[in-house]
Amino acid sequence: MPFASLGLSPALVYAAGQLGFSTPTPIQSEAIPAVLQGADLLGAAQTGSGKTAAFALPLLQQLQLGATDGPRRVRALVLVPTRELAAQVGEVLRSLAQHLAQPPKVAIIFGGVSINPQMMGLRGGADIVVATPGRLLDLVEHNALRLGAVAHLVLDEADRLLDLGFAEELARVLALLPARRQNLFFSATFPADVQALADGLLKSPV
Ligand code: AMP
């Protein structure tokens, strides 16, 4: 099944093609139509499965529907365990968004580097934030961004988020989000703590 038959806009299908994605991977075929319909998603996925585009493409399409010329508010939050993954996911989102009429602004946030450039980068707001949890909370505390309008949450590599000790930060971030939102949850493994996190977050997930 080609990308075009999954319900994606021509600009996104084109961008996927530019990255060399002509045929959806299995997780993309299953996830993209469900996410476009607003469903919660539980993805059991390894790196290499194509999971990033599986959430990035339908997220970008959903954000286009609500795009406005007003102040940018964070409408999608992607939480990741490491700076490498933050950079990688952010770049995939930017590449896939290139041909959209109103490309969303993607902010990439991670710790271990100076906070000031990230604060500058958030001036004027951001539509999508890809972040590690600790630095995200630092930026919220500095009033550099607000999470009250997040309509789509992605937890990417949830098992590694817990392995790296982010459970407490994660709980603090989740408490800042509106209750009504779409939740997309990806993990390679499902030990009891990861399953409990998924159970608490997801409503009737695909
Ligand atoms: P991921 O699992 O998201 O880390 O993606 C693994 C790799 O597969 C990345 O290098 C992607 O660029 C590539 N990829 C993702 N989706 C496709 C696709 N539909 N066709 C070919 N390559 C893909």
Side-chain angles (χ1 to χ4, degrees):
M1 233 200 222
F3 274 105
S5 64
L6 298 178
L8 294 170
S9 70
L12 289 172
V13 174
Y14 179 77
Q18 293 291 99
L19 292 186
F21 306 173
S22 50
T23 313
T25 66
I27 193 168
Q28 291 166 358
S29 299
E30 288 194 56
I32 290 170
V35 177
L36 285 176
Q37 286 182 3
D40 276 8
L41 187 82
L42 180 61
Q46 314 278 344
T47 299
S49 59
K51 65 183 165 67
T52 314
F55 67 77
L57 286 165
L59 265 189
L60 288 166
Q61 177 141 326
Q62 286 185 302
L63 294 185
Q64 283 302 104
L65 298 176
T68 61
D69 293 330
R72 292 178 187 274
R73 301 197 297 167
V74 180
R75 288 185 296 142
L77 174 64
V78 185
L79 291 174
V80 298
T82 63
R83 62 188 281 177
E84 291 77 17
L85 192 59
Q88 194 183 313
V89 169
E91 284 314 313
V92 170
L93 281 161
R94 285 176 182 162
S95 301
L96 290 172
Q98 273 181 84
H99 303 284
L100 294 171
Q102 289 179 283
K105 182 173 157 193
V106 180
I108 301 172
I109 301 297
F110 49 77
V113 295
S114 167
I115 198 169
N116 292 325
Q118 294 178 359
M119 289 181 73
M120 301 277 274
L122 286 166
R123 282 203 190 148
D127 303 292
I128 304 177
V129 169
V130 184
T132 53
R135 177 54 62 89
L136 180 71
L137 286 167
D138 290 344
L139 286 160
V140 169
E141 275 157 24
H142 282 84
N143 280 321
L145 85 172
R146 291 179 191 188
L147 300 176
V150 169
H152 311 274
L153 170 71
V154 182
L155 288 198
D156 194 11
E157 302 199 357
D159 49 359
R160 287 181 73 204
L161 273 165
L162 295 188
D163 281 349
L164 292 175
F166 280 125
E168 191 202 325
E169 280 97 340
L170 207 53
R172 286 171 57 204
V173 172
L174 295 177
L176 298 171
L177 304 180
R180 226 182 118 90
R181 57 172 199 261
Q182 182 179 38
N183 298 289
L184 312 177
F185 190 104
F186 293 88
S187 192
T189 60
F190 285 86
D193 55 348
V194 174
Q195 191 61 53
L197 182 62
D199 291 345
L201 271 177
L202 302 170
K203 294 191 186 75
S204 312
V206 169

